Amino acid sequence: MKSPAGKRRLWRHFAVVIGALLGLILLDYVSYPHFAHPGGPTRNRGENGLWLRHTWYSGEETDVPVLAKRLKTEQIRYAYFHVRDVTKSGALRHRSPDFARRVVMPLHRQAPTVKLIAWVYAGNVAGRGGVDLRRPEVRRVMVQEAVWLVTVCGFDGVQWDYEICPSGDADLLRLLRETRAALPRDKLLSAAVPLWLPAPMGRYGWREADFGDVASLCDQMAVMCYDSGCYLPRSYVWLVHQQVVHVTRAAARNNPRCRVLFGIPTYGAGGLSHHAPAENIRMALIGVREGLADAQADPSVVAGVALFADYTTQDSEWKTYQDWWCRT
């Protein structure tokens, strides 16, 4: 047995090692964001996305010419208009066809290359709602609402944002299959999808095969690369890098026509899962570009990046987006 003095020396050595490791982590936390820069080409195709708040759909925002100019200047191809959420029955909680058409119709004229997508939140018991996709009648109503959004309101497509969606959720696949069958062929079906996570954390995210299953039923996937729970900038960059590898590989294998966008955060305040000093537009763009440069990725299915969201993106962040994605 060790003597008391020997035990104290052992604990001192242990404390020194732990202190040194914490010091290195802190140094990396502070220095990495200042010295890290994107590697590899952006492969920007001018097919990027932007999530817009519900005030356009509700008629609170009406300056369409300003919005059209921004969408064209920032090389946005897909504008996701939040049309709020659906109730437990699957019906839209808010219906604003007149306001929707007042935005959609002039935007089609002023920004004809932009696809205007109705972004619909559907929260299950684990999210912020009680939408149960296991019930066929709920999915049936949701599909009817999707058709209504494109035929009556004039949107170019629908994006289902079903949260919180576990890995291997067969009911989401049923919703996508039924929506695609009901939508006119010239209308786009998009899915906002969660993060791929490595095996030890797989229960909180998706496996690569999940993205392939969704890609086979959709025209587009937008990966929500935020609320990751990463508190270290380097770890967040690595995680975004991995999204590019795993999601593009799955999409290319299952449906090469499915376009993939990577949603990047521009908001500061958030819950415990969002740490803005690590999870921000600069770190996200580094991760996307490093992923695109990875030989394991398949950039052929990548449309671009999507900013979340229009109402939180500051001028400095638009500049970062232009400098690090659009111009280089």
Side-chain angles (χ1 to χ4, degrees):
M1 295 183 61
K2 290 184 178 292
S3 66
K7 289 182 179 180
R8 285 194 296 271
R9 283 195 299 272
L10 183 62
W11 277 110
R12 280 198 298 269
H13 291 322
F14 179 74
V16 168
V17 171
I18 294 299
L21 288 174
L22 290 175
L24 289 173
I25 291 172
L26 179 61
L27 178 63
D28 188 68
Y29 175 86
V30 173
S31 62
Y32 182 82
H34 294 288
F35 296 105
H37 289 278
T42 67
R43 299 182 185 270
N44 174 46
R45 297 168 176 167
E47 299 180 15
N48 304 295
L50 178 66
W51 279 284
L52 298 112
R53 74 163 81 209
H54 66 86
T55 45
W56 290 101
Y57 179 67
S58 64
E60 297 169 57
E61 293 190 62
T62 58
D63 199 341
V64 173
V66 170
L67 176 59
K69 181 179 179 181
R70 164 130 281 172
L71 295 174
K72 289 186 288 187
T73 301
E74 305 297 352
Q75 301 186 39
I76 303 298
R77 178 72 184 277
Y78 304 101
Y80 306 115
F81 288 85
H82 195 8
V83 298
R84 307 297 289 269
D85 62 333
V86 296
T87 65
K88 292 181 180 180
S89 70
L92 284 167
R93 193 177 301 276
H94 303 279
R95 279 174 164 251
S96 303
D98 293 335
F99 290 130
R101 286 192 292 262
R102 290 178 194 175
V103 173
V104 169
M105 292 176 66
L107 267 179
H108 276 148
R109 293 192 301 269
Q110 298 175 38
T113 62
V114 179
K115 296 291 185 182
L116 313 178
I117 311 300
W119 156 36
V120 190
Y121 176 81
N124 55 22
V125 175
R128 295 197 305 271
V131 178
D132 187 353
L133 292 186
R134 293 173 299 179
R135 298 171 58 194
E137 63 272 23
V138 172
R139 299 197 308 272
R140 189 178 308 116
V141 173
M142 291 175 67
V143 170
Q144 291 170 351
E145 296 290 42
V147 173
W148 180 82
L149 285 164
V150 300
T151 57
V152 176
C153 296
F155 287 106
D156 297 310
V158 173
Q159 180 182 80
W160 288 126
D161 179 9
Y162 177 59
E163 300 183 40
I164 297 171
C165 186
S167 173
D169 192 321
D171 297 304
L172 172 64
L173 301 181
R174 293 188 181 97
L175 174 65
L176 295 174
R177 187 177 298 108
E178 292 160 3
T179 305
R180 180 66 277 170
L183 286 179
R185 297 307 302 172
D186 62 337
K187 300 300 182 180
L188 184 148
L189 176 59
S190 174
V193 296
L195 290 161
W196 169 90
L197 290 177
M201 301 178 63
R203 59 174 296 198
Y204 302 105
W206 277 15
R207 297 171 294 112
E208 184 173 312
D210 295 320
F211 298 101
D213 292 339
V214 170
S216 68
L217 301 169
C218 282
D219 304 298
Q220 181 190 96
M221 287 190 295
V223 187
M224 297 180 285
C225 299
Y226 37 81
D227 288 333
S228 67
C230 290
Y231 277 62
L232 296 176
R234 188 185 296 273
S235 66
Y236 177 64
V237 168
W238 176 86
L239 186 62
V240 175
H241 177 150
Q242 296 307 310
Q243 306 311 305
V244 180
V245 171
H246 291 279
V247 178
T248 63
R249 196 161 59 188
R253 183 170 57 244
N254 288 62
N255 180 13
R257 293 184 298 277
C258 180
R259 314 308 295 164
V260 178
L261 293 96
F262 298 97
I264 57 179
T266 62
Y267 57 100
L272 294 176
S273 61
H274 174 69
H275 183 61
E279 195 179 88
N280 56 63
I281 189 171
R282 293 181 70 250
M283 298 298 101
L285 287 174
I286 292 174
V288 171
R289 290 181 59 171
E290 288 186 358
L292 289 171
D294 192 318
Q296 298 182 78
D298 192 330
S300 67
V301 296
V302 175
V305 297
L307 279 68
F308 187 87
D310 73 311
Y311 50 93
T312 61
T313 308
Q314 306 297 316
D315 288 343
S316 60
E317 291 168 316
W318 280 118
K319 186 177 186 306
T320 297
Y321 163 76
Q322 283 288 339
D323 290 345
W324 285 20
W325 182 254
C326 296
R327 296 196 184 107
T328 57

